[in-house]
């Protein structure tokens, strides 16, 4: 699957404190474009069932993340490795509620704070919906006509 996202990051920066001793809150946005390989564990363990109320999938992927400049001196582009779980709750035949929890690994300079660990890991929790368009019949197709069997007199 392809995944395009916008994320808003907030964290207390321990490098800077205010006059009352609190840490400064850093905020910046990032955009990512990733490709993931998904495995539906529910289908793997229990077989395919289109009427199942809950499906659990695991995924892993890679992509590119762009960190907005915000208060930093420059924008930042980073390769990203990611993995996580997705739960799908079936609401009706065409509508599902998605809950996604994932971890993302980016370069160490992602938040402009370089430490001894070579990468930064951040988590994300997403709630969404999947709507499947109903099947549409072709209006140009000729309907099938059932003929009565011919009775011999």
């Amino acid at each position: 699957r392809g995944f395009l996202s916008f994320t808003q990051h907030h964290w207390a920066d321990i490098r800077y404190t205010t006059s009352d001793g609190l840490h400064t809150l850093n905020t910046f946005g990032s955009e990512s474009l990733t490709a993931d390989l998904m495995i539906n564990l529910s289908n793997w363990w229990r077989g395919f069932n289109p009427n199942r109320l809950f499906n659990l999938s695991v995924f892993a992927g890679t992509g590119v993340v762009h960190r907005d400049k915000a208060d930093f001196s420059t924008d930042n582009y980073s390769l990203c490795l990611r993995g996580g779980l997705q739960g799908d709750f079936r609401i009706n035949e065409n509508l599902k509620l998605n809950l996604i929890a994932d971890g993302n690994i980016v370069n160490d300079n992602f938040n402009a704070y370089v430490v001894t660990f070579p990468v930064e890991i951040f988590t994300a929790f997403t709630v969404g919906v999947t709507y499947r368009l109903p099947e549409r019949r072709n209006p140009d197709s000729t309907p099938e006509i059932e003929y009565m069997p011919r009775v011999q007199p």
Side-chain angles (χ1 to χ4, degrees):
R1 76 168 178 188
F3 201 76
L4 178 64
S5 70
F6 173 78
T7 307
Q8 197 68 18
H9 302 267
H10 304 279
W11 85 95
D13 192 337
I14 61 173
R15 296 174 295 169
Y16 307 106
T17 56
T18 60
S19 59
D20 57 1
L22 298 175
H23 297 295
T24 305
L25 181 66
N26 282 338
T27 300
F28 63 91
S30 69
E31 299 79 30
S32 63
L33 178 61
T34 61
D36 300 328
L37 174 65
M38 296 185 71
I39 298 173
N40 186 321
L41 298 176
S42 301
N43 287 347
W44 189 4
W45 292 332
R46 307 288 263 164
F48 177 72
N49 179 356
N51 297 320
R52 183 177 287 126
L53 294 179
F54 177 76
N55 279 298
L56 180 65
S57 299
V58 62
F59 65 88
T62 186
V64 177
V65 179
H66 168 254
R67 184 208 61 215
D68 299 335
K69 184 175 177 183
D71 295 332
F72 309 113
S73 60
T74 62
D75 287 358
N76 180 286
Y77 290 90
S78 174
L79 291 178
C80 174
L81 297 175
R82 55 188 262 117
L85 294 172
Q86 177 173 328
D88 297 319
F89 294 92
R90 182 176 169 267
I91 296 171
N92 63 35
E93 184 179 324
N94 297 329
L95 188 64
K96 291 182 182 178
L97 175 67
N98 314 116
L99 302 174
I100 303 170
D102 59 269
N104 301 272
I105 301 172
V106 293
N107 68 19
D108 184 35
N109 196 30
F110 187 69
N111 65 357
Y113 185 42
V114 177
V115 294
T116 56
F117 200 63
V119 295
E120 293 181 11
I121 301 170
F122 64 91
T123 57
F125 301 96
T126 308
V127 177
V129 294
T130 299
Y131 180 73
R132 181 178 171 202
L133 297 172
E135 191 174 327
R136 195 174 89 172
R137 293 183 182 247
N138 185 350
D140 296 334
S141 65
T142 306
E144 292 185 26
I145 300 172
E146 289 187 37
Y147 293 100
M148 298 282 295
R150 192 172 277 191
V151 178
Q152 298 292 334

